[in-house]
Amino acid sequence: MRILRLAVAVLLPLALWGGHLQASGFENTGLGTTARGMAGAFRAVADDWSAAYYNPAGYAFIIDNQLGGSVALINFRNEITPNFVEVDDFGNSYGWGIVNGQKVYNFHRILNNPSAGLVVRLPFWGETVFGLSAFQPFDQSLRWRLYDPEASGMRAYNEDAVGSRKIPGHHYLVDLDVVAIQLTASREFKPEKLSVGIGLQLLRGDLWFSDLTFRTNPRLTAPDITDKPGVFRRPWEKVPEFHDSQGRGWSFGIRAGVMWKLNEKIDLAATAYLPFDITIKGDSYFTFIMPKPDYAVVLPNTADFLFVSGYGDFVNLTSEFETKLKLPSSLGVGVAYKATEKLTVALDAEYTLWSEYDGLEFSFTDFANLPGRIDSALVDGEWQRYTRLFEPEFFQSNLANPVDWENTVKVALGFRYQVHPKLTLLAGGGLDQSPARNSTELTPQFMDLGTKKSVNAGGILHIDQWDVGLITSYYNYPEINLEGLTDVDNSDTFDNFPGEYKASTYESVLSLGYRF
């Protein structure tokens, strides 16, 4: 029990330390150096502590107790050249302050993804093998600055707001971490032939999401706000709304697997994963840049004045929010072939039900700082003062990022070669289908551009009871040129971000394991 308490003390801080790795959608690419070096083709191998993620049934055939951990160092190299443009009937184009035609890179930093696990064989229940592990099954981290009215030639939108420090630093951002603390149990049901394993997960979801939405000005068609017909048109018919939400939530998940040793050379495996939805709650912050069109003539202290005078340049609000993160379940199969005493070849396939995820819809409550004015009214013969809110429905609207993702298939082929008792070499490659095959819904926060190709290679040094591993990976994405603004849910806001998208990912993984 002492070593179990020690493992909890080590694993929990690691689990809550952020990681940022990405497979299809926002699924992680995995954990450990052996599995990652084999491109994830590990279901039918599953012979170290990382089997908790790939196939819990593998624990039953592990002879030694193990304590191991790994950290992945990731560099996203993403690029967007925006083409966020709408053209009117006269051929004039409008981008409302987006830096169209300029090549923009995501905020570059070396991200990290730690994971760890403990495997212990206990002398009861048929020598059941137990494990305690911490890892991130889902993760995403991207940040962009794509809005600059002055640089885009939109200075007239609201000259007083240009260059202001009140404009948020990140215009499009997602930092999503789903951490799993998993208790695993596995045992042989046919000695040296068939094993079954199950992992029970406690899931914690942390979300930081920022977005820029161009909202339709509710005073666009008011006939009395200008003394010059047609002045209050583009670009002032859109109000930029910067939305920033940060929160967290808890849920549960179940991961199960079976492993069947068909003969001395072939092992077969099958797995299933069922995560439950996470309801995330927290605080939201809003910044509205109020339009300031030329020649607008309005009376102060009116709703019209709010939307055509700049109204102090900005409106800033706060609220509480709630959103539901619908995580996808998955099924997987694998086969491992011991070609020689030293060489193992493995093939994996995974089917992920990304159609279960339909985007993030934010519901807001308890608003503070809503704009208004003080009015008086005669109530029961007495004058009372009260606050009249300006367009409360506009400022309190629910925001949604709907997607219509499709289920995906991932295949991986991996090799493990025992060069020497002290050295194992690893190599592999994979194809990972994108759930966002309808590219018209593409946004900067979720850059899944199509079927990804991965190449992985590395090795593990065996020094007495210690295993020290290092692998490197490269993920290549297709390029996409997305044209045309769309409104998927008919909410009168744009749900995509047109432009040229390019992406690639470099990853290095370090691991340390101890057998006892």
Side-chain angles (χ1 to χ4, degrees):
M1 295 303 294
R2 180 181 177 185
I3 193 163
L4 191 60
R5 290 194 295 269
L6 175 62
V8 172
V10 172
L11 298 181
L12 187 57
L14 279 172
L16 299 180
W17 180 31
H20 310 273
L21 202 58
Q22 177 182 1
S24 63
F26 48 88
E27 184 182 14
N28 256 343
T29 60
L31 56 134
T33 51
T34 302
R36 274 197 177 110
M38 299 176 71
F42 199 61
R43 276 181 177 82
V45 179
D47 58 0
D48 66 20
W49 61 270
S50 66
Y53 178 86
Y54 294 95
N55 186 358
Y59 273 13
F61 297 120
I62 295 177
I63 299 175
D64 297 324
N65 299 329
Q66 295 187 12
L67 179 62
S70 68
V71 59
L73 305 175
I74 307 102
N75 185 11
F76 290 130
R77 302 290 296 181
N78 296 343
E79 172 190 322
I80 299 177
T81 304
N83 188 25
F84 196 94
V85 173
E86 198 165 63
V87 180
D88 64 17
D89 296 336
F90 301 99
N92 300 311
S93 60
Y94 300 89
W96 300 284
I98 296 296
V99 289
N100 289 311
Q102 300 183 31
K103 188 178 296 185
V104 182
Y105 298 93
N106 67 297
F107 278 69
H108 283 161
R109 53 187 182 140
I110 303 299
L111 307 173
N112 61 80
N113 186 325
S115 56
L118 168 71
V119 183
V120 180
R121 180 178 291 274
L122 299 178
F124 52 85
W125 296 342
E127 290 207 356
T128 300
V129 180
F130 289 89
L132 182 64
S133 52
F135 52 86
Q136 291 184 251
F138 299 97
D139 193 13
Q140 178 84 345
S141 182
L142 285 173
R143 304 183 184 190
W144 302 90
R145 287 179 59 89
L146 297 167
Y147 177 81
D148 189 337
E150 187 172 20
S152 65
M154 293 292 294
R155 186 172 177 81
Y157 184 84
N158 187 334
E159 294 185 9
D160 298 330
V162 171
S164 172
R165 294 183 179 180
K166 293 182 180 179
I167 296 178
H170 302 299
H171 310 141
Y172 296 87
L173 177 152
V174 64
D175 198 338
L176 170 64
D177 300 310
V178 177
V179 172
I181 305 294
Q182 179 172 314
L183 179 63
T184 304
S186 178
R187 61 169 294 183
E188 296 180 46
F189 280 82
K190 279 184 135 184
E192 300 182 4
K193 279 290 184 182
L194 177 67
S195 67
V196 176
I198 187 168
L200 303 179
Q201 296 181 343
L202 175 64
L203 299 175
R204 166 163 161 166
D206 289 83
L207 176 66
W208 180 10
F209 187 90
S210 298
D211 202 12
L212 170 57
T213 303
F214 292 94
R215 305 282 305 284
T216 298
N217 193 319
R219 289 297 181 265
L220 172 63
T221 58
D224 57 345
I225 64 171
T226 178
D227 61 356
K228 192 170 183 179
V231 168
F232 194 47
R233 300 293 182 187
R234 287 178 173 169
W236 302 288
E237 94 284 18
K238 294 291 184 182
V239 178
E241 176 183 353
F242 294 89
H243 156 228
D244 185 282
S245 289
Q246 299 181 44
R248 62 187 54 87
W250 297 86
S251 185
F252 299 94
I254 301 173
R255 191 180 294 271
V258 296
M259 183 176 287
W260 181 29
K261 293 185 175 296
L262 185 62
N263 53 47
E264 292 183 357
K265 288 186 172 291
I266 298 176
D267 295 342
L268 304 177
T271 61
Y273 181 46
L274 177 62
F276 296 96
D277 298 343
I278 302 176
T279 298
I280 296 178
K281 300 180 180 180
D283 298 317
S284 296
Y285 306 88
F286 306 87
T287 297
F288 298 82
I289 301 181
M290 304 312 295
K292 194 174 184 180
D294 299 330
Y295 311 111
V297 178
V298 295
L299 293 175
N301 218 23
T302 65
D304 290 340
F305 183 81
L306 173 66
F307 286 93
V308 300
S309 69
Y311 188 71
D313 308 335
F314 297 88
V315 170
N316 294 295
L317 309 178
T318 61
S319 79
E320 297 179 359
F321 84 93
E322 179 177 313
T323 188
K324 183 169 288 188
L325 179 60
K326 299 180 179 180
L327 301 173
S329 51
S330 62
L331 300 170
V333 293
V335 57
Y337 176 64
K338 298 178 180 62
T340 69
E341 287 293 325
K342 295 183 177 182
L343 177 64
T344 298
V345 182
L347 178 66
D348 264 36
E350 182 180 37
Y351 185 70
T352 304
L353 280 70
W354 277 110
S355 59
E356 297 173 353
Y357 174 76
D358 55 9
L360 297 173
E361 181 174 354
F362 294 87
S363 177
F364 304 108
T365 56
D366 296 331
F367 279 85
N369 303 322
L370 284 166
R373 67 170 185 264
I374 303 298
D375 283 348
S376 299
L378 191 63
V379 179
D380 296 331
E382 295 184 5
W383 287 97
Q384 296 185 7
R385 295 173 65 81
Y386 66 97
T387 300
R388 183 190 301 274
L389 298 178
F390 289 143
E391 301 289 344
E393 296 83 5
F394 178 86
F395 293 104
Q396 299 179 74
S397 295
N398 288 351
L399 299 177
N401 291 82
V403 298
D404 186 17
W405 282 4
E406 301 178 45
N407 299 335
T408 63
V409 174
K410 177 182 179 180
V411 294
L413 177 65
F415 303 87
R416 182 169 69 178
Y417 186 69
Q418 189 81 32
V419 179
H420 186 273
K422 293 186 179 296
L423 177 62
T424 299
L425 295 182
L426 307 163
L431 295 175
D432 197 355
Q433 196 175 26
S434 169
R437 297 196 283 280
N438 179 7
S439 61
T440 60
E441 300 173 3
L442 198 58
T443 66
Q445 291 97 334
F446 293 98
M447 282 187 59
D448 200 341
L449 305 184
T451 299
K452 296 173 286 297
K453 304 179 184 69
S454 67
V455 178
N456 312 264
I460 301 176
L461 287 175
H462 311 287
I463 306 171
D464 296 329
Q465 295 172 277
W466 295 90
D467 299 318
V468 182
L470 171 64
I471 69 104
T472 186
S473 303
Y474 170 70
Y475 298 84
N476 177 261
Y477 300 69
E479 298 179 7
I480 287 182
N481 186 9
L482 175 61
E483 297 181 355
L485 292 159
T486 60
D487 179 8
V488 176
D489 56 351
N490 298 315
S491 61
D492 208 22
T493 59
F494 305 126
D495 296 313
N496 67 341
F497 193 98
E500 295 181 6
Y501 289 77
K502 299 179 181 179
S504 60
T505 301
Y506 300 87
E507 165 191 293
S508 296
V509 182
L510 301 170
S511 72
L512 182 64
Y514 179 67
R515 291 170 277 110
F516 59 97

